Amino acid sequence: MSELRRIPVPAQDPVVGIPAAAPKVGFVSLGCPKALVDSEQILTQLRAEGYDTAKSYEGADLVIVNTCGFIDAAVQESLDAIGEAIAANGKVIVTGCLGAKKDAAGDDIIMKVHPKVLAVTGPHAVGEVMNSVHLHLPKPHEPFFDLVPAQGIKLTPKHYAYLKISEGCNHRCSFCIIPSMRGDLVSRPIADLMLEAENLFKAGVKELLVISQDTSAYGVDVKFRSGFWNGRPVKTHMTQLVEALGQLAKQYGAWVRLHYVYPYPHVDQVIPMMTGENILPYLDIPLQHAHPDVLKRMKRPASGEKNLDRIQAWRAMNPDLVIRSTFIAGFPGETEEEFEYLLDFLKEAQIDRLGCFAYSPVEGATANEIANPVPEEVREERRARVMLLQEEISAKRLQAKIGKTVRVLVDEVGAKEAIGRSAADAPEIDGVVHIKRSLVPGKKLVVGEFADVVITNADAHDLWASVA
């Protein structure tokens, strides 16, 4: 029996009101956390209308595939997933970023490769997806909206969840086609965000991960207008949102982690809020490069910022600050001198968590038109050099934690060890803390709960610890 791929839909508890013969929808979710949130919204609406979820293609009356279309590898993975669903089930609706992408001739990529799909939509299209579902799999009779929990249907473990604060992006980076698929920045009302966050905390979420295409730009599109939360005005602005989320998280003893933060000046106001109690001292900043000329060719919004000075100033304000970033090696026109400049920057900046990608041409990106493309073998060689340097930096920074007591959020508990994450570790992309199980009464580790542990060992990626 074929299993649904990549992101499994969690089993739902039986609910009075859903008939035994409720139509079943299979779901395949690919791509980034922003796409995952789109999937959760669709699943929530399906559940609200009385549909059930299927664990296999054969057990589904219809399959929805949420695609990614950013780089060539993601496009191919999405096309393969669609083909697998068609072969195994036959009734397939496609949504997501690839649904908004055209080929060089202006034709729909998905329909050209898979003409048997029932419907194709772009990202953030719950209404359109549901219209297609209704057409091909009529909804059950008289569903009850209270079948859905207040926090909606989630694809993450119960103890952490993503909060998407906006859609789209106002930047036009030369290597990126996301604005052509997701549009310009559209900030969600701050009252809606706070209500969603509160419902998630009430449901047991202990870590809330704030995501968007540009978290620092939250509210720009609505000129930072004020909304209301708990009877008081709160501006649609990153700093006030973070402050409000921190106050809310404190009531539930939870963490808030910030992703996709561009290094704009007002981020300086957020650093003092990162005490580690609720707002974690963690910034995910997509720097992409360091050399001014490369940043200019990339059309990066932060190309004029003195990023190294800003990082050093942030660490002076908050020595516990952990910085994650991503970089591109071998961008078109990148010279060896420009690449060496990047390596020198990394040695100086001492980024805690780093991902590096060899430049991959994306159809429709203006970067493809830049002169002097870097050969593929050089791109890969430069990526490897960045990661080799980063292993040295990461190992040194993690070794410094040995002997310290840190708080972790427990993700898994096994027979001999548990797996947790510290404030420095975002799920899926960073390292973990391997915790030796304790036989001492009163020191039981529970999934979704916090524990204090003493760090005993480290490598370039992970930590090992015992219960404090």
Side-chain angles (χ1 to χ4, degrees):
M1 179 179 289
S2 300
E3 295 294 324
L4 299 182
R5 307 169 65 245
R6 182 53 67 89
I7 300 293
V9 177
Q12 304 299 329
D13 296 328
V15 181
V16 176
I18 292 185
K24 293 186 176 182
V25 177
F27 208 103
V28 179
S29 186
L30 306 173
C32 65
K34 292 175 284 294
L36 184 73
V37 173
D38 287 352
S39 296
E40 291 173 340
Q41 291 171 349
I42 295 169
L43 284 165
T44 296
Q45 188 61 33
L46 286 168
R47 184 64 181 274
E49 295 188 9
Y51 291 91
D52 205 352
T53 52
K55 291 299 180 184
S56 68
Y57 291 117
E58 291 84 349
D61 298 302
L62 179 149
V63 176
I64 298 173
V65 180
N66 190 4
T67 59
C68 180
F70 184 40
I71 60 175
D72 290 346
V75 170
Q76 191 56 55
E77 181 183 25
S78 293
L79 292 173
D80 290 346
I82 295 166
E84 181 181 313
I86 290 173
N89 183 277
K91 296 181 68 175
V92 178
I93 292 171
V94 179
T95 188
C97 287
L98 186 57
K101 196 171 182 181
K102 309 292 183 183
D103 62 16
D107 296 325
D108 185 293
I109 291 176
I110 293 172
M111 292 302 293
K112 197 170 185 179
V113 178
H114 296 298
K116 292 183 179 180
V117 298
L118 301 177
V120 177
T121 76
H124 199 55
V126 178
E128 295 174 60
V129 172
M130 292 308 301
N131 288 341
S132 298
V133 172
H134 296 157
L135 179 63
H136 299 283
L137 188 63
K139 61 183 178 180
H141 179 62
E142 300 221 351
F144 299 93
F145 191 79
D146 59 6
L147 298 177
V148 179
Q151 72 274 15
I153 305 301
K154 294 296 170 185
L155 296 175
T156 52
K158 291 182 179 180
H159 59 282
Y160 70 82
Y162 295 100
L163 179 71
K164 184 161 60 171
I165 65 173
S166 63
E167 276 291 340
C169 183
N170 286 343
H171 306 305
R172 296 297 183 265
C173 301
S174 61
F175 55 83
C176 182
I177 59 171
I178 286 176
S180 68
M181 296 185 287
R182 289 187 171 261
D184 290 336
L185 178 77
V186 179
S187 300
R188 293 180 59 196
I190 196 161
D192 291 356
L193 292 177
M194 295 304 297
L195 178 60
E196 182 176 343
E198 183 174 40
N199 286 332
L200 288 168
F201 288 140
K202 285 180 177 178
V205 165
K206 291 298 183 181
E207 180 178 354
L208 194 65
L209 299 104
V210 176
I211 59 170
S212 66
Q213 292 299 140
D214 181 356
T215 295
S216 304
Y218 176 65
V220 167
D221 55 313
V222 294
K223 299 181 180 179
F224 308 118
R225 70 185 175 210
S226 292
F228 286 86
W229 172 247
N230 280 348
R232 65 182 182 88
V234 184
K235 279 189 176 181
T236 309
H237 190 280
M238 177 195 180
T239 56
Q240 293 208 18
L241 172 64
V242 172
E243 182 180 15
L245 287 174
Q247 292 172 354
L248 185 61
K250 185 176 182 179
Q251 299 175 30
Y252 294 91
W255 283 353
V256 175
R257 188 184 299 274
L258 303 180
H259 286 276
Y260 309 108
V261 176
Y262 281 76
Y264 302 152
H266 63 260
V267 176
D268 295 358
Q269 302 169 36
V270 175
I271 304 301
M273 301 181 196
M274 296 180 159
T275 63
E277 289 295 318
N278 303 113
I279 304 298
L280 295 180
Y282 178 103
L283 282 180
D284 175 5
I285 312 169
L287 295 173
Q288 307 302 4
H289 212 279
H291 196 283
D293 292 342
V294 177
L295 290 169
K296 186 176 180 179
R297 292 196 295 274
M298 288 179 168
K299 296 184 178 179
R300 293 293 289 161
S303 60
E305 301 289 344
K306 295 182 178 179
N307 290 329
L308 185 58
D309 290 344
R310 175 144 285 147
I311 289 171
Q312 292 172 340
W314 287 341
R315 285 187 169 142
M317 285 190 279
N318 191 336
D320 294 327
L321 181 65
V322 171
I323 295 176
R324 151 165 278 283
S325 191
T326 52
F327 292 84
I328 297 174
F331 189 76
E334 183 189 62
T335 64
E336 180 64 26
E337 180 184 5
E338 291 170 341
F339 177 70
E340 291 287 348
Y341 186 100
L342 170 60
L343 294 180
D344 290 340
F345 171 87
L346 296 177
K347 292 174 186 175
E348 189 75 19
Q350 294 285 296
I351 303 294
D352 299 88
R353 302 295 196 184
L354 184 147
C356 183
F357 304 91
Y359 174 74
S360 175
V362 177
E363 188 173 339
T366 58
N368 300 336
E369 302 167 9
I370 296 175
N372 302 316
V374 179
E376 183 176 359
E377 61 272 18
V378 177
R379 283 182 258 149
E380 290 294 340
E381 183 263 344
R382 288 178 180 174
R383 183 201 67 80
R385 287 165 65 187
V386 168
M387 295 313 298
L388 186 62
L389 171 61
Q390 181 58 28
E391 281 202 4
E392 296 176 9
I393 293 171
S394 179
K396 183 179 179 181
R397 295 186 72 80
L398 291 180
Q399 283 288 326
K401 296 186 178 185
I402 294 177
K404 293 184 177 181
T405 299
V406 300
R407 171 150 285 205
V408 299
L409 180 59
V410 179
D411 284 338
E412 303 174 27
V413 176
K416 295 183 178 180
E417 72 167 20
I419 302 295
R421 290 179 295 103
S422 71
D425 309 308
E428 306 294 336
I429 57 174
D430 293 327
V432 297
V433 182
H434 301 267
I435 310 163
K436 183 179 179 181
R437 291 287 304 275
S438 174
L439 300 178
V440 179
K443 293 190 176 182
K444 182 180 180 181
L445 297 170
V446 180
V447 171
E449 298 294 335
F450 293 105
D452 292 325
V453 300
V454 178
I455 305 303
T456 58
N457 203 354
D459 63 14
H461 305 286
D462 297 338
L463 297 169
W464 279 259
S466 58
V467 180

